[in-house]
Amino acid sequence: MKIIFMGTPKFAVPALKKINENFRIDTVYTQPPRKSKRGMKEVISPVHEISNELNLDVRTPNDLSNDYEFFKSKKFNLAVVTAYGQIIPDAFLKECQFINIHASLLPKWRGAAPIQRSLMNKDKFTGISIMKIEKELDSGPVLLTKSLPINIYSKHGDVEKKLSEIGSNLIIEAIQKINNDPDCVFKEQDHNLKSYAKKITKEDEVIIWDIDAETVIAKIHALTPSPGCFFYNNRDKLKIFECKLSEKKSKKPGHVVIENESLFIACKDKYIEILEIQKPGKNRQKIKEFIKGYKFD
């Protein structure tokens, strides 16, 4: 099979490696290099970096549609896409079969931030779906799925890493199925059950204390390690990265209690115990260390 791989972030790297080990990738598409934060140099994507190490041909168009003639000339059999970062134009979809490694159990959480939204929603399971790419976002029929149990203490970074590995194994099984039987059956999604995972915004990062404690905990861990959830104490923007449910009954949402070198903040129903926090411009700290050098109003 003549395979093209399209992906950009670290999440896509295990699949890239695994496919290349088992089938050999002809061409890789990834997002163009971007300026570093200080603007001193250009930074290539994780997929680009690994592709260079594997001596794979890499293409980085700003607009994929401008690369159509090259794509058409290659006569690929299969395109594997995961977190590429650009919409695939219709003309490309007509040239070969496109399949996607999507980080949710479709039809739930189509869209940009499926892991975070699943965690924030306090789902019991998330997972990977191998699906055929069609014109409508994440709407195509599904070939394979594999689930992963999650809870309010599951952190986005950990879940993303696990799903990345699950996806890298599941895509090999999918390619083998397609290779052995080009007419293998993809199952249509139940579109009545669809939900959308909107991109994470600055508003999502704000901690609202006047809701139940489990929802607050789930949200904090859904945005750990990045971008993190925050609240203000006076003018200080404090980010929380780890917490747990306390049995203390709430007095007033946002109320702060410090006792026995521990920090508790009240939600609508109960307090949560803060385990890891970050002051502006500082590194993350365990709460015992943080309390020694910080005063709440």
Side-chain angles (χ1 to χ4, degrees), residues 118-120 122-124 149-159 162 213-224 241-247 270-275:
S118 182
L119 292 169
M120 291 167 76
K122 298 185 288 186
D123 291 348
K124 301 301 182 186
I150 53 175
N151 57 50
I152 62 171
Y153 297 108
S154 300
K155 297 176 182 175
H156 171 256
D158 298 333
V159 173
K162 289 176 184 175
E214 288 197 359
T215 299
V216 173
I217 291 169
K219 177 176 175 175
I220 288 169
H221 293 142
L223 300 186
T224 296
F241 294 94
E242 188 173 6
C243 56
K244 68 179 181 179
L245 189 64
S246 167
E247 290 307 312
K270 294 181 179 180
Y271 283 79
I272 63 172
E273 182 179 352
I274 312 305
L275 303 176

Short mmCIF file of all heavy atoms in Angstrom, two decimals, residues 118-120 122-124 149-159 162 213-224 241-247 270-275:
data_model
loop_
_atom_site.label_atom_id
_atom_site.label_comp_id
_atom_site.label_asym_id
_atom_site.label_seq_id
_atom_site.Cartn_x
_atom_site.Cartn_y
_atom_site.Cartn_z
N SER A 118 -14.74 15.47 27.07
CA SER A 118 -15.18 14.22 27.70
C SER A 118 -14.86 14.23 29.19
O SER A 118 -15.70 13.83 30.02
CB SER A 118 -14.50 13.03 27.02
OG SER A 118 -14.92 11.82 27.58
N LEU A 119 -13.67 14.69 29.55
CA LEU A 119 -13.28 14.77 30.96
C LEU A 119 -14.12 15.80 31.71
O LEU A 119 -14.59 15.56 32.83
CB LEU A 119 -11.80 15.11 31.07
CG LEU A 119 -10.81 14.04 30.61
CD1 LEU A 119 -9.40 14.60 30.54
CD2 LEU A 119 -10.85 12.83 31.53
N MET A 120 -14.34 16.94 31.10
CA MET A 120 -15.13 17.99 31.74
C MET A 120 -16.58 17.55 31.94
O MET A 120 -17.25 18.00 32.88
CB MET A 120 -15.07 19.27 30.90
CG MET A 120 -13.71 19.94 30.91
SD MET A 120 -13.52 21.23 29.65
CE MET A 120 -14.45 22.57 30.37
N LYS A 122 -17.49 14.65 32.77
CA LYS A 122 -17.47 13.54 33.75
C LYS A 122 -17.93 12.22 33.13
O LYS A 122 -18.61 11.42 33.77
CB LYS A 122 -18.32 13.89 34.98
CG LYS A 122 -17.83 15.11 35.75
CD LYS A 122 -18.61 15.36 37.01
CE LYS A 122 -20.00 15.87 36.69
NZ LYS A 122 -20.75 16.25 37.90
N ASP A 123 -17.54 12.00 31.87
CA ASP A 123 -17.84 10.72 31.22
C ASP A 123 -17.13 9.58 31.95
O ASP A 123 -16.06 9.79 32.54
CB ASP A 123 -17.38 10.74 29.76
CG ASP A 123 -18.20 11.68 28.89
OD1 ASP A 123 -19.26 12.14 29.36
OD2 ASP A 123 -17.77 11.95 27.75
N LYS A 124 -17.70 8.41 31.87
CA LYS A 124 -17.08 7.22 32.47
C LYS A 124 -16.05 6.59 31.53
O LYS A 124 -15.16 5.87 31.97
CB LYS A 124 -18.15 6.19 32.83
CG LYS A 124 -19.20 6.69 33.80
CD LYS A 124 -18.58 7.14 35.12
CE LYS A 124 -19.65 7.60 36.09
NZ LYS A 124 -19.06 8.18 37.33
N PRO A 149 -11.43 3.68 30.32
CA PRO A 149 -12.17 4.24 31.45
C PRO A 149 -11.51 5.50 31.99
O PRO A 149 -10.28 5.60 32.03
CB PRO A 149 -12.15 3.11 32.48
CG PRO A 149 -10.98 2.26 32.11
CD PRO A 149 -10.83 2.38 30.63
N ILE A 150 -12.33 6.47 32.39
CA ILE A 150 -11.83 7.72 32.96
C ILE A 150 -12.70 8.12 34.15
O ILE A 150 -13.80 7.59 34.33
CB ILE A 150 -11.81 8.87 31.92
CG1 ILE A 150 -13.20 9.02 31.27
CG2 ILE A 150 -10.73 8.67 30.89
CD1 ILE A 150 -13.31 10.21 30.32
N ASN A 151 -12.19 9.05 34.96
CA ASN A 151 -12.97 9.57 36.09
C ASN A 151 -12.56 11.01 36.35
O ASN A 151 -11.77 11.59 35.59
CB ASN A 151 -12.78 8.69 37.34
CG ASN A 151 -11.31 8.56 37.73
OD1 ASN A 151 -10.59 9.55 37.84
ND2 ASN A 151 -10.86 7.33 37.94
N ILE A 152 -13.07 11.60 37.43
CA ILE A 152 -12.80 13.03 37.66
C ILE A 152 -11.35 13.31 38.03
O ILE A 152 -10.93 14.47 38.03
CB ILE A 152 -13.74 13.59 38.77
CG1 ILE A 152 -13.50 12.88 40.11
CG2 ILE A 152 -15.19 13.52 38.34
CD1 ILE A 152 -14.23 13.54 41.28
N TYR A 153 -10.58 12.28 38.31
CA TYR A 153 -9.16 12.45 38.63
C TYR A 153 -8.25 12.19 37.43
O TYR A 153 -7.03 12.33 37.52
CB TYR A 153 -8.76 11.57 39.81
CG TYR A 153 -9.51 11.93 41.07
CD1 TYR A 153 -10.50 11.12 41.59
CD2 TYR A 153 -9.22 13.13 41.73
CE1 TYR A 153 -11.21 11.48 42.73
CE2 TYR A 153 -9.91 13.50 42.88
CZ TYR A 153 -10.90 12.67 43.37
OH TYR A 153 -11.59 13.04 44.50
N SER A 154 -8.84 11.80 36.31
CA SER A 154 -8.06 11.58 35.09
C SER A 154 -7.61 12.92 34.52
O SER A 154 -8.42 13.82 34.31
CB SER A 154 -8.90 10.83 34.05
OG SER A 154 -9.33 9.58 34.54
N LYS A 155 -6.31 13.05 34.28
CA LYS A 155 -5.76 14.30 33.75
C LYS A 155 -5.60 14.22 32.24
O LYS A 155 -5.22 13.17 31.71
CB LYS A 155 -4.41 14.59 34.41
CG LYS A 155 -4.50 14.81 35.92
CD LYS A 155 -3.12 15.00 36.52
CE LYS A 155 -3.20 15.16 38.03
NZ LYS A 155 -1.87 15.22 38.66
N HIS A 156 -5.83 15.36 31.60
CA HIS A 156 -5.78 15.38 30.15
C HIS A 156 -4.47 14.85 29.59
O HIS A 156 -4.46 14.04 28.66
CB HIS A 156 -5.99 16.82 29.64
CG HIS A 156 -5.76 16.97 28.18
ND1 HIS A 156 -4.62 17.55 27.68
CD2 HIS A 156 -6.49 16.59 27.11
CE1 HIS A 156 -4.67 17.53 26.35
NE2 HIS A 156 -5.79 16.96 25.99
N GLY A 157 -3.35 15.29 30.15
CA GLY A 157 -2.05 14.85 29.64
C GLY A 157 -1.87 13.35 29.69
O GLY A 157 -1.36 12.73 28.75
N ASP A 158 -2.31 12.73 30.79
CA ASP A 158 -2.19 11.27 30.94
C ASP A 158 -3.13 10.54 29.99
O ASP A 158 -2.74 9.54 29.36
CB ASP A 158 -2.51 10.86 32.39
CG ASP A 158 -1.54 11.47 33.40
OD1 ASP A 158 -0.39 11.75 33.02
OD2 ASP A 158 -1.95 11.66 34.56
N VAL A 159 -4.36 11.02 29.88
CA VAL A 159 -5.34 10.37 29.01
C VAL A 159 -4.92 10.50 27.55
O VAL A 159 -5.01 9.54 26.78
CB VAL A 159 -6.74 10.99 29.22
CG1 VAL A 159 -7.74 10.44 28.21
CG2 VAL A 159 -7.24 10.71 30.64
N LYS A 162 -2.24 7.94 26.77
CA LYS A 162 -2.80 6.58 26.66
C LYS A 162 -3.56 6.39 25.36
O LYS A 162 -3.43 5.38 24.68
CB LYS A 162 -3.71 6.29 27.86
CG LYS A 162 -2.98 6.12 29.18
CD LYS A 162 -3.96 5.94 30.33
CE LYS A 162 -3.23 5.86 31.67
NZ LYS A 162 -4.20 5.79 32.81
N ALA A 213 -18.65 20.27 43.53
CA ALA A 213 -17.21 20.03 43.66
C ALA A 213 -16.68 19.04 42.62
O ALA A 213 -15.59 19.23 42.08
CB ALA A 213 -16.89 19.52 45.07
N GLU A 214 -17.42 17.98 42.33
CA GLU A 214 -16.93 16.99 41.37
C GLU A 214 -16.77 17.60 39.97
O GLU A 214 -15.82 17.26 39.26
CB GLU A 214 -17.86 15.78 41.32
CG GLU A 214 -17.76 14.91 42.58
CD GLU A 214 -18.35 13.53 42.37
OE1 GLU A 214 -18.84 13.23 41.25
OE2 GLU A 214 -18.30 12.72 43.33
N THR A 215 -17.67 18.49 39.59
CA THR A 215 -17.55 19.15 38.29
C THR A 215 -16.34 20.06 38.25
O THR A 215 -15.64 20.13 37.23
CB THR A 215 -18.84 19.95 37.98
OG1 THR A 215 -19.95 19.04 37.93
CG2 THR A 215 -18.74 20.67 36.64
N VAL A 216 -16.07 20.75 39.35
CA VAL A 216 -14.87 21.60 39.43
C VAL A 216 -13.60 20.76 39.31
O VAL A 216 -12.68 21.10 38.56
CB VAL A 216 -14.86 22.41 40.75
CG1 VAL A 216 -13.53 23.15 40.91
CG2 VAL A 216 -16.02 23.38 40.79
N ILE A 217 -13.56 19.64 40.03
CA ILE A 217 -12.39 18.75 39.98
C ILE A 217 -12.17 18.22 38.57
O ILE A 217 -11.04 18.20 38.06
CB ILE A 217 -12.58 17.59 40.98
CG1 ILE A 217 -12.51 18.10 42.42
CG2 ILE A 217 -11.51 16.50 40.77
CD1 ILE A 217 -12.94 17.09 43.46
N ALA A 218 -13.25 17.77 37.93
CA ALA A 218 -13.15 17.22 36.57
C ALA A 218 -12.60 18.26 35.60
O ALA A 218 -11.76 17.96 34.75
CB ALA A 218 -14.51 16.72 36.11
N LYS A 219 -13.07 19.50 35.73
CA LYS A 219 -12.62 20.57 34.84
C LYS A 219 -11.14 20.89 35.05
O LYS A 219 -10.40 21.06 34.08
CB LYS A 219 -13.47 21.82 35.08
CG LYS A 219 -13.05 23.02 34.25
CD LYS A 219 -14.01 24.17 34.51
CE LYS A 219 -13.56 25.42 33.79
NZ LYS A 219 -14.52 26.52 33.91
N ILE A 220 -10.72 20.97 36.29
CA ILE A 220 -9.31 21.25 36.59
C ILE A 220 -8.41 20.19 35.96
O ILE A 220 -7.41 20.51 35.30
CB ILE A 220 -9.09 21.35 38.11
CG1 ILE A 220 -9.70 22.64 38.65
CG2 ILE A 220 -7.61 21.27 38.46
CD1 ILE A 220 -9.79 22.73 40.15
N HIS A 221 -8.75 18.93 36.14
CA HIS A 221 -7.92 17.85 35.60
C HIS A 221 -8.03 17.75 34.08
O HIS A 221 -7.08 17.32 33.41
CB HIS A 221 -8.28 16.53 36.27
CG HIS A 221 -7.91 16.51 37.73
ND1 HIS A 221 -8.68 15.92 38.69
CD2 HIS A 221 -6.84 17.05 38.39
CE1 HIS A 221 -8.11 16.06 39.88
NE2 HIS A 221 -6.99 16.75 39.71
N ALA A 222 -9.16 18.17 33.52
CA ALA A 222 -9.33 18.16 32.06
C ALA A 222 -8.39 19.14 31.38
O ALA A 222 -8.05 18.96 30.20
CB ALA A 222 -10.78 18.49 31.69
N LEU A 223 -7.96 20.18 32.11
CA LEU A 223 -7.06 21.18 31.52
C LEU A 223 -5.66 21.12 32.10
O LEU A 223 -4.91 22.10 32.05
CB LEU A 223 -7.67 22.57 31.70
CG LEU A 223 -9.05 22.79 31.06
CD1 LEU A 223 -9.47 24.24 31.18
CD2 LEU A 223 -9.07 22.35 29.60
N THR A 224 -5.31 19.95 32.66
CA THR A 224 -3.96 19.72 33.19
C THR A 224 -3.19 18.79 32.25
O THR A 224 -3.73 17.76 31.87
CB THR A 224 -4.04 19.09 34.59
OG1 THR A 224 -4.66 20.00 35.50
CG2 THR A 224 -2.67 18.73 35.13
N PHE A 241 -3.60 22.59 39.41
CA PHE A 241 -3.32 21.47 38.51
C PHE A 241 -3.71 20.12 39.10
O PHE A 241 -3.81 19.14 38.36
CB PHE A 241 -1.83 21.46 38.15
CG PHE A 241 -1.41 22.64 37.33
CD1 PHE A 241 -0.88 23.77 37.93
CD2 PHE A 241 -1.58 22.64 35.96
CE1 PHE A 241 -0.51 24.88 37.19
CE2 PHE A 241 -1.21 23.74 35.20
CZ PHE A 241 -0.67 24.86 35.81
N GLU A 242 -3.90 20.06 40.39
CA GLU A 242 -4.30 18.79 41.00
C GLU A 242 -5.10 19.08 42.27
O GLU A 242 -4.77 20.00 43.03
CB GLU A 242 -3.09 17.93 41.34
CG GLU A 242 -3.44 16.52 41.79
CD GLU A 242 -2.23 15.63 41.96
OE1 GLU A 242 -1.08 16.12 41.84
OE2 GLU A 242 -2.43 14.43 42.23
N CYS A 243 -6.15 18.30 42.48
CA CYS A 243 -7.00 18.50 43.65
C CYS A 243 -7.77 17.22 43.92
O CYS A 243 -7.75 16.28 43.12
CB CYS A 243 -7.96 19.67 43.43
SG CYS A 243 -8.98 19.47 41.95
N LYS A 244 -8.48 17.18 45.04
CA LYS A 244 -9.31 16.02 45.35
C LYS A 244 -10.50 16.45 46.18
O LYS A 244 -10.52 17.53 46.80
CB LYS A 244 -8.50 14.94 46.06
CG LYS A 244 -8.04 15.28 47.46
CD LYS A 244 -7.26 14.11 48.06
CE LYS A 244 -6.80 14.41 49.49
NZ LYS A 244 -6.05 13.27 50.08
N LEU A 245 -11.50 15.60 46.20
CA LEU A 245 -12.73 15.89 46.91
C LEU A 245 -12.52 15.78 48.41
O LEU A 245 -11.88 14.85 48.90
CB LEU A 245 -13.82 14.91 46.46
CG LEU A 245 -15.25 15.18 46.93
CD1 LEU A 245 -15.77 16.49 46.35
CD2 LEU A 245 -16.16 14.02 46.53
N SER A 246 -13.06 16.74 49.14
CA SER A 246 -13.03 16.71 50.60
C SER A 246 -14.44 16.43 51.11
O SER A 246 -15.43 16.72 50.43
CB SER A 246 -12.54 18.06 51.14
OG SER A 246 -12.78 18.17 52.53
N GLU A 247 -14.53 15.89 52.30
CA GLU A 247 -15.84 15.64 52.90
C GLU A 247 -16.36 16.85 53.66
O GLU A 247 -17.47 16.83 54.19
CB GLU A 247 -15.77 14.41 53.83
CG GLU A 247 -15.60 13.10 53.09
CD GLU A 247 -16.66 12.88 52.01
OE1 GLU A 247 -17.86 13.08 52.30
OE2 GLU A 247 -16.29 12.55 50.87
N LYS A 270 -19.42 20.98 48.50
CA LYS A 270 -18.32 20.55 49.36
C LYS A 270 -17.07 21.37 49.07
O LYS A 270 -17.00 22.08 48.07
CB LYS A 270 -18.01 19.06 49.14
CG LYS A 270 -19.12 18.12 49.55
CD LYS A 270 -18.70 16.66 49.31
CE LYS A 270 -19.80 15.71 49.76
NZ LYS A 270 -19.42 14.29 49.53
N TYR A 271 -16.07 21.19 49.92
CA TYR A 271 -14.75 21.76 49.67
C TYR A 271 -13.96 20.80 48.80
O TYR A 271 -14.19 19.59 48.81
CB TYR A 271 -13.99 21.97 50.97
CG TYR A 271 -14.42 23.17 51.78
CD1 TYR A 271 -15.57 23.13 52.57
CD2 TYR A 271 -13.68 24.35 51.78
CE1 TYR A 271 -15.97 24.22 53.34
CE2 TYR A 271 -14.05 25.45 52.54
CZ TYR A 271 -15.20 25.38 53.32
OH TYR A 271 -15.58 26.46 54.07
N ILE A 272 -13.01 21.36 48.05
CA ILE A 272 -12.00 20.52 47.41
C ILE A 272 -10.66 20.83 48.06
O ILE A 272 -10.42 21.96 48.51
CB ILE A 272 -11.93 20.72 45.88
CG1 ILE A 272 -11.51 22.15 45.52
CG2 ILE A 272 -13.24 20.35 45.23
CD1 ILE A 272 -11.22 22.33 44.03
N GLU A 273 -9.81 19.82 48.14
CA GLU A 273 -8.47 20.02 48.68
C GLU A 273 -7.51 20.24 47.53
O GLU A 273 -7.43 19.42 46.60
CB GLU A 273 -8.04 18.81 49.51
CG GLU A 273 -6.65 19.00 50.14
CD GLU A 273 -6.20 17.82 50.99
OE1 GLU A 273 -7.02 16.90 51.22
OE2 GLU A 273 -5.03 17.83 51.43
N ILE A 274 -6.79 21.33 47.57
CA ILE A 274 -5.84 21.68 46.51
C ILE A 274 -4.51 20.99 46.78
O ILE A 274 -3.95 21.11 47.88
CB ILE A 274 -5.63 23.21 46.43
CG1 ILE A 274 -6.98 23.95 46.42
CG2 ILE A 274 -4.80 23.56 45.20
CD1 ILE A 274 -7.93 23.50 45.34
N LEU A 275 -3.98 20.29 45.79
CA LEU A 275 -2.73 19.53 45.97
C LEU A 275 -1.55 20.14 45.21
O LEU A 275 -0.41 20.00 45.63
CB LEU A 275 -2.94 18.08 45.50
CG LEU A 275 -4.07 17.32 46.20
CD1 LEU A 275 -4.23 15.93 45.59
CD2 LEU A 275 -3.81 17.21 47.70
#
